Amino acid sequence: KSAAGTLTIKVTPDNIAPALTISNPPQDMLTSLSSFAITGTVSDQQSAVALTMTINGIQYYPTVSNGSFSQLLNLTAGQSYAINAIATDQYGNTSTVHRNLISYDPQAAHPSLLTSSASVPKGSSTVITLTLENAAGVGVSSLSTDIAYDAALLDVSSVTAGEAATAAGKDVSFSTPSAGVLRIGILSFGNSNLIGNGVVARINLGVRLTAPDGNVLLTASPVMSDASGNLVFASSTGGVIQVFTKPGDCDGNGSVNIAEVQSAISMFLGLKPSERCVDIDRNGLVSIAEVQKAINSFLGP
């Protein structure tokens, strides 16, 4: 209160939006359940919060208890659900969170992305193909996929468009957002043409010299969209890189020299003990066929 008898009140406006999260589902989640509980949290430091949720144009009003909310949604197989949650405090500040949920019938035909496999000697490279198989005839205008691989064993040098992507006028882009994740996008800013069956991308992979013999898995997580931007359920089949030592490469440097070929011949003649680098079938003996494989490795590539 001032000397003149007036009261001064300092008002601090609330312009901070409520904190809103949707913990389940994650973005672009696929589910075969007949119903699904959308869950999350909402809070505000200054006032009470009103929560509304719009799902495919229909409004819902989830009950909030101790900052948590849940909304049960009945699902129809084959339908996508656009979820928009909006939290509003008493001063009109809002927060919005969006999620896409896709319901599918696991027994119904659907597009699939197939990752090829290859046997590759360490220190060499190969090309892996991604093939779209769409027996159901569902319209696929764009697609993306993350390929998970072991970055300690494999290197990605490039990704190029396959015939099916080129025929549809699509561009292929790629990045490695984190170690062991290759992200590929197949789309066009200039058309919404549908992509037909066939190879959509080729991945150039190299196997490191330090990679042990064995299998390295390639796991794809595709997301597909139709021409209107609606998500399309898709499955995937992963690939395998079978890593092996080049026949005759006993020093492990990725190539075979003339001395190693002569050593392989001596093993065949019994003049020196057999080694696993030449004894491919691991039977303790070196055959003439295994010598020929060592010679082929020397001749290249």
Side-chain angles (χ1 to χ4, degrees):
K1 188 172 182 180
S2 69
T6 59
L7 181 66
T8 302
I9 300 176
K10 184 178 180 181
V11 177
T12 302
D14 178 7
N15 54 10
I16 300 175
L20 173 64
T21 63
I22 293 180
S23 54
N24 202 28
Q27 179 68 322
D28 297 334
M29 178 180 173
L30 301 169
T31 179
S32 59
L33 299 174
S34 59
S35 61
F36 190 90
I38 303 166
T39 60
T41 60
V42 61
S43 62
D44 188 272
Q45 295 181 348
Q46 303 295 330
S47 68
V49 181
L51 179 65
T52 61
M53 191 175 291
T54 303
I55 304 174
N56 288 2
I58 300 175
Q59 276 203 325
Y60 297 82
Y61 300 93
T63 300
V64 180
S65 177
N66 296 322
S68 298
F69 65 86
S70 178
Q71 176 63 55
L72 185 65
L73 181 65
N74 293 321
L75 305 178
T76 300
Q79 185 169 337
S80 297
Y81 296 86
I83 303 166
N84 286 289
I86 302 175
T88 306
D89 67 18
Q90 69 182 41
Y91 301 105
N93 301 304
T94 62
S95 294
T96 303
V97 176
H98 175 77
R99 292 286 187 273
N100 288 322
L101 178 66
I102 308 168
S103 176
Y104 70 95
D105 180 356
Q107 305 302 319
H110 52 263
S112 182
L113 189 67
L114 309 181
T115 306
S116 67
S117 299
S119 295
V120 188
K122 58 185 67 177
S124 300
S125 60
T126 189
V127 176
I128 296 298
T129 59
L130 298 181
T131 302
L132 176 64
E133 285 195 355
N134 192 1
V138 177
V140 174
S141 180
S142 62
L143 67 92
S144 68
T145 186
D146 281 358
I147 306 290
Y149 64 98
D150 192 333
L153 307 180
L154 304 178
D155 291 309
V156 177
S157 57
S158 64
V159 179
T160 57
E163 297 84 356
T166 301
K170 305 300 181 182
D171 299 317
V172 174
S173 58
F174 72 98
S175 67
T176 50
S178 59
V181 176
L182 171 64
R183 180 161 297 165
I184 301 173
I186 303 170
L187 71 165
S188 172
F189 295 107
N191 70 67
S192 56
N193 299 337
L194 299 183
I195 305 172
N197 291 340
V199 176
V200 292
R202 287 185 167 83
I203 306 168
N204 293 287
L205 282 177
V207 178
R208 297 190 178 187
L209 278 172
T210 53
D213 290 0
N215 294 333
V216 183
L217 300 180
L218 303 174
T219 305
S221 304
V223 177
M224 302 188 187
S225 169
D226 64 17
S228 298
N230 300 309
L231 292 172
V232 174
F233 167 66
S235 62
S236 66
T237 300
V240 176
I241 301 296
Q242 184 181 32
V243 179
F244 64 94
T245 301
K246 185 176 290 187
D249 179 20
C250 294
D251 61 9
N253 70 349
S255 63
V256 175
N257 58 35
I258 189 63
E260 288 171 318
V261 172
Q262 292 171 338
S263 180
I265 294 173
S266 295
M267 294 178 201
F268 166 68
L269 295 174
L271 300 178
K272 64 179 299 186
S274 64
E275 298 181 34
R276 294 186 65 180
C277 52
V278 180
D279 180 18
I280 307 301
D281 61 11
R282 307 292 192 264
N283 68 351
L285 301 171
V286 172
S287 66
I288 190 65
E290 289 169 326
V291 172
Q292 184 61 56
K293 290 179 179 178
I295 294 172
N296 292 344
S297 295
F298 168 70
L299 295 175

